[in-house]
Amino acid sequence: MRSLAVLGATGSIGASTLDVVARHPERYRVGALAAHRNVAALAQLCARFRPELAVIADPACEAALRAQLRAAGVDCCVASGAAALIEAATGNHCDSVVAAIVGAAGLESTLAAARAGKRLLLANKEAIVMAGPLLKAALRQGGGELLPLDSEHNAVFQCLPRGAATLDAAGVRRIVLTASGGPFRGRTRAQLTAITPDQACAHPNWRMGRKISVDSATLLNKGLEVIEAHHLFDAPAERIEVVVHPQSLMHSLVEYVDGSLLAQLGLPDMRTAIAYALAWPQRINAGVGTLDLVAAARLDFERPDLDTFRGLRLAYDALRAGGNAAIVLNAANEEAVAAFLDGRLPFLGIAETIERCLATLPNGTASDLASVLDVDLTARRCAQRIIAALSSCAARS
Ligand code: NAD
Ligand code: MG
């Protein structure tokens, strides 16, 4: 029996994970659940899954969580704050950690899980984008394994031979990541000036948290995924291609030197990738239905429009620039997306903020966690200044 810590338990990936887990009570038990501030949702999950440890990241919410758990008759340890998240990721209550916190907030617990030798089921792509080399060093140190939950990387993982040391050794020519194109595929820049948060979050194929939904609308999500693929599969930028595939049925492909392309297909439902990672190297029922190929009828592919959706181009540039550029890209994006969701920045201002931040800050190399966090903070401050300038421009015009 495997025991899990689910960090980000109240989110979209958290819910999909717990749905799969609940289908297999003989295989999985929940050792720890963690969330940010949603006390009621976390308390409900605790009542259902009975973890040993419940962590609420915001210390101001701890008393309320204790009270709700007591009222529900749930007897578990309760803790809050950054150290408690690390405890949730590293304690003896779990051998596997689902890293499903959104954004840089998940970095430290993700690294800690790797260092502790847990099986790391990684959804928190921002962590690997910010600190790919540190995460890989932590995994080597801990001796655990990483299984990607991001559907594209999970698909690539499924299409690669087991245990190949390098892409060349496996005979791989390139990796092809598919992208749905998001809700604004086919639009021009002029048509994107007045986009609202709700429009940006209305993804055609996937139901996800608001931050990743906006990232999908700007294609920055695919940019983060290119950097994620670079770290996960040791692939240089020129061997990672992005193809727009609006149906989201083919989740990514691997092309081999003999011309073969292996792809993974399935309904757009994160439970497939989650079940694969949970049970690997076995397979378990994920609760996902059959993809009716005849009903689907067609699979379309297009080149991404890098002029309209500059986020993807900026991510390739950051990957090629190396050093701290990916940390700056991620931090600027997190700040810009939060400002857009708050109504403080227009949709097109997201890529603009990232581009200006990358152009403003000097590049360097962060070789430990403290330096990564330092670059992240500097980039956030820079982004906030740019956002303030862009929003006062927008207010004047
Ligand atoms: P979400 O917004 O639905 O959930 C986020 C979770 O993180 C919540 O449980 C929230 O409580 C927690 N959280 C937020 N801030 C926190 C903080 N400061 N400290 C501790 N916990 C915090 O997001 P999501 O869609 O589930 O995405 C989670 C991660 O998975 C993201 O990195 C996203 O890019 C990645 N991902 C999501 C999907 C998807 O289909 N939703 C697919 C691929 C990858
Ligand atoms: Mg993805």
Side-chain angles (χ1 to χ4, degrees), residues 7 11-12 14 56 62 89 120 154 175-176 191 200 205 209 227 243 258 264-265 302 313 316 342 347 368 391:
L7 313 181
S12 157
I56 193 90
E62 187 181 326
L120 180 62
N154 190 275
I175 287 170
V176 183
Q191 292 170 322
N205 306 333
I227 300 173
V243 172
D258 60 4
Q264 187 257 350
L265 287 84
E302 304 164 3
R313 189 196 298 275
Y316 266 110
D342 271 7
F347 182 75
D368 56 24
S391 46

Side-chain angles (χ1 to χ4, degrees), residues 7-16 34-38 55-58 85 99-106 109 122-127 149-152 206-213 215 221 224-225 228 269-270:
L7 313 181
T10 55
S12 157
I13 291 286
S16 297
H36 189 203
R37 288 192 181 124
N38 192 337
V55 170
I56 193 90
D58 184 347
L85 277 179
I101 292 175
V102 59
S109 50
L122 182 73
N124 179 212
K125 65 189 85 182
E126 295 90 350
L149 288 193
D150 216 347
S151 57
E152 297 75 4
W206 301 94
R207 290 287 148 266
M208 310 180 286
R210 281 171 86 76
K211 191 266 178 179
I212 186 179
S213 296
D215 288 349
N221 179 53
L224 297 177
E225 291 183 356
E228 180 182 11
D269 187 323
M270 288 306 296

Side-chain angles (χ1 to χ4, degrees), residues 210-386:
R210 281 171 86 76
K211 191 266 178 179
I212 186 179
S213 296
V214 176
D215 288 349
S216 301
T218 58
L219 286 204
L220 201 275
N221 179 53
K222 209 50 55 180
L224 297 177
E225 291 183 356
V226 168
I227 300 173
E228 180 182 11
H230 159 76
H231 291 302
L232 286 177
F233 307 117
D234 284 324
E238 55 280 8
R239 286 170 81 171
I240 307 170
E241 189 186 335
V242 171
V243 172
V244 172
H245 162 51
Q247 291 90 357
S248 296
L249 298 175
M250 189 180 283
H251 300 301
S252 279
L253 310 87
V254 174
E255 184 186 316
Y256 287 87
V257 287
D258 60 4
S260 297
L261 277 158
L262 298 194
Q264 187 257 350
L265 287 84
L267 290 168
D269 187 323
M270 288 306 296
R271 292 176 301 172
T272 298
I274 291 166
Y276 183 81
L278 278 171
W280 181 84
Q282 298 172 340
R283 296 216 182 232
I284 55 171
N285 178 14
V288 177
T290 296
L291 163 58
D292 182 340
L293 289 168
V294 176
R298 37 185 305 169
L299 300 172
D300 294 313
F301 300 97
E302 304 164 3
R303 288 217 184 290
D305 173 356
L306 299 184
D307 295 321
T308 305
F309 301 99
R310 275 158 45 200
L312 180 54
R313 189 196 298 275
L314 290 168
Y316 266 110
D317 290 347
L319 176 54
R320 291 204 172 92
N324 294 337
I327 309 175
V328 173
L329 172 98
N330 179 68
N333 180 56
E334 286 193 28
E335 292 297 319
V337 170
F340 167 68
L341 287 172
D342 271 7
R344 287 184 282 122
L345 185 72
F347 182 75
L348 292 173
I350 299 174
E352 185 73 28
T353 303
I354 300 169
E355 189 163 22
R356 289 197 196 186
C357 241
L358 283 165
T360 307
L361 295 174
N363 202 353
T365 310
S367 46
D368 56 24
L369 176 61
S371 340
V372 169
L373 295 175
D374 196 45
V375 174
D376 175 73
L377 186 62
T378 306
R380 282 172 197 272
R381 289 187 179 138
C382 177
Q384 282 158 8
R385 286 193 297 275
I386 293 165

